[in-house]
């Protein structure tokens, strides 16, 4: 099976909507690829930046080569404000894995993006900044694949 390493670094967000009027916002991000909920990973919660959180947090995946050949598989980054009664949704960013790959291809497989944060069908307040890189294509066997999934997930 042909796969690639994919690493995303969630750098920061700025000018987010303040969804918590009485107390400080403590923001974290949840990242997933495609529609598989098992791919979701999250950043630590930023407890000081409020509407301008910073994480500089790296998340790694191993993805199938076909994910960058078709526009259906999406990188989804959802932002939440931590609360005792359940996290409050702030907004999200969606990017096609194929578009990310094509955009970064000219610069050796890596790029830095600043994307608007959306809430529902309308554009929300704020932007998300992240960097990412794609590794070289590799062919791996089933045994190596199982070990790879345990360490990086998702091929």
């Amino acid at each position: 099976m042909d796969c690639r390493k994919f690493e995303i670094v969630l750098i920061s967000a700025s000018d987010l909507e303040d969804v918590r009027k009485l107390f400080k916002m403590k923001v974290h991000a949840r990242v997933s690829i495609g529609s598989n909920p098992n791919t979701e990973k999250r950043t630590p919660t930023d407890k000081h930046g409020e509407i301008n959180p910073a994480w500089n947090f790296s998340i790694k995946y191993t993805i199938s080569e076909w994910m960058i050949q078709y526009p259906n598989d999406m990188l989804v980054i959802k932002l939440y404000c931590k609360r005792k009664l359940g996290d409050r949704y702030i907004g999200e960013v969606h990017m096609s894995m194929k578009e990310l790959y094509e955009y970064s291809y000219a610069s050796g497989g890596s790029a830095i993006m600043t994307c608007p944060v959306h809430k529902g069908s309308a554009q929300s307040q704020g932007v998300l900044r992240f960097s990412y890189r794609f590794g070289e294509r590799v062919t791996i066997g089933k045994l190596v694949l199982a070990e790879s999934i345990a360490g990086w997930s998702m091929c």
Side-chain angles (χ1 to χ4, degrees):
M1 174 181 269
D2 289 340
C3 296
R4 288 182 186 268
K5 298 287 187 188
F6 174 71
E7 179 178 11
I8 180 169
V9 178
L10 293 168
I11 300 169
S12 63
S14 58
D15 198 29
L16 295 175
E17 177 185 0
D18 188 350
V19 297
R20 190 145 194 205
K21 306 296 183 199
L22 296 177
F23 300 100
K24 282 178 71 170
M25 280 200 10
K26 298 172 186 156
V27 181
H28 69 271
R30 298 178 191 170
V31 180
S32 61
I33 298 177
S35 58
N36 184 348
N38 295 330
T39 66
E40 185 175 282
K41 298 180 181 184
R42 64 174 277 179
T43 67
T45 301
D46 178 294
K47 298 178 181 177
H48 307 289
E50 297 196 50
I51 63 170
N52 300 303
W55 304 282
N56 202 29
F57 186 75
S58 175
I59 297 173
K60 298 175 182 179
Y61 292 96
T62 299
I63 61 169
S64 296
E65 183 67 15
W66 55 264
M67 294 183 100
I68 61 172
Q69 295 174 354
Y70 303 101
N72 299 341
D73 288 299
M74 305 294 282
L75 170 70
V76 180
I77 305 167
K78 295 182 180 183
L79 302 177
Y80 289 89
C81 175
K82 183 175 179 170
R83 298 181 333 153
K84 290 188 191 282
L85 298 174
D87 295 344
R88 180 167 283 169
Y89 176 74
I90 298 170
E92 62 191 72
V93 171
H94 287 243
M95 296 289 294
S96 158
M97 292 298 288
K98 181 180 194 281
E99 289 176 14
L100 288 171
Y101 181 75
E102 290 171 351
Y103 181 77
S104 68
Y105 185 75
S107 60
S110 64
I112 297 175
M113 304 279 294
T114 301
C115 300
V117 175
H118 295 273
K119 190 172 191 176
S121 61
Q123 183 169 325
S124 178
Q125 183 176 330
V127 295
L128 177 68
R129 183 172 166 84
F130 63 93
S131 66
Y132 65 95
R133 69 181 174 90
F134 288 91
E136 294 296 318
R137 180 171 63 181
V138 295
T139 302
I140 58 177
K142 290 181 182 177
L143 180 59
V144 176
L145 174 62
E147 293 170 356
S148 177
I149 290 172
W152 281 62
S153 90
M154 221 193 113
C155 188

